[in-house]
Amino acid sequence: MIRTELEAALDRARAGLVRAVEPLTDEQSRRRLVPSLTTPIALLKHCAAAERVWFQRTIGGIEESRCDGYARGDDGGWMVPESQTLAEVIAEFEAACARSREIAKTTAMDDVFEHRLLGSVTYAWICLHMIAELGRHAGHADILVEQILAADISH
């Protein structure tokens, strides 16, 4: 029962991030309102990388070069090519999440995995970490989207 609840919460957090950015145009999704690399589209790109780091690399033991896309926890995960649309980044994030779900089916809640920086973590810990990470970034997206849409209405 705990597994079902954790995975459902993780899926709600994933969906919340997508829902937050869906009202934007491609141009709006790239607007930078803060000094960091954080834009609505970059939040999705970063979270796709986080899915790959935790599920493909950490749980699945897949080499970085064999992952479905960028799979490191550094600034590169925030970079979105100019040619990539918001719809394409949403699809990339959703594909990473689908792969995460497939990999997760092979685990038990108390299975232990080694993370290169944090050491030993369980599958349950990874779920809780990703719920927090995605929830935090969905909140960032909510605020950025509200500011972007409000600025466009006032002009």
Side-chain angles (χ1 to χ4, degrees), residues 36-48:
S36 71
L37 299 172
T38 305
T39 63
I41 196 170
L43 284 165
L44 278 169
K45 195 75 163 177
H46 166 73
C47 288

Side-chain angles (χ1 to χ4, degrees), residues 14 17 41-56 67-72 77-78 84 88-97 99-100 130 133-134 137:
R14 290 167 171 152
L17 178 59
I41 196 170
L43 284 165
L44 278 169
K45 195 75 163 177
H46 166 73
C47 288
E51 289 279 344
R52 292 183 198 105
V53 166
W54 286 106
F55 288 87
Q56 292 180 36
C67 290
D68 294 344
Y70 199 86
R72 280 188 272 165
W78 294 87
Q84 200 170 23
E88 290 169 340
V89 176
I90 289 171
E92 176 186 338
F93 173 70
E94 290 177 337
C97 294
R99 183 125 188 239
S100 295
M130 287 300 292
E133 173 95 353
L134 291 163
H137 289 318

Side-chain angles (χ1 to χ4, degrees), residues 70-141:
Y70 199 86
R72 280 188 272 165
D74 59 16
D75 284 351
W78 294 87
M79 303 301 183
V80 183
E82 283 298 319
S83 61
Q84 200 170 23
T85 66
L86 178 59
E88 290 169 340
V89 176
I90 289 171
E92 176 186 338
F93 173 70
E94 290 177 337
C97 294
R99 183 125 188 239
S100 295
R101 285 185 206 95
E102 285 303 311
I103 291 168
K105 288 179 184 178
T106 68
T107 67
M109 292 305 288
D110 58 352
D111 283 353
V112 177
F113 305 95
E114 290 302 314
H115 184 270
R116 65 181 186 86
L117 298 175
L118 300 175
S120 298
V121 294
T122 63
Y123 173 65
W125 185 93
I126 291 170
C127 284
L128 290 169
H129 172 73
M130 287 300 292
I131 291 165
E133 173 95 353
L134 291 163
R136 180 173 49 257
H137 289 318
H140 295 148

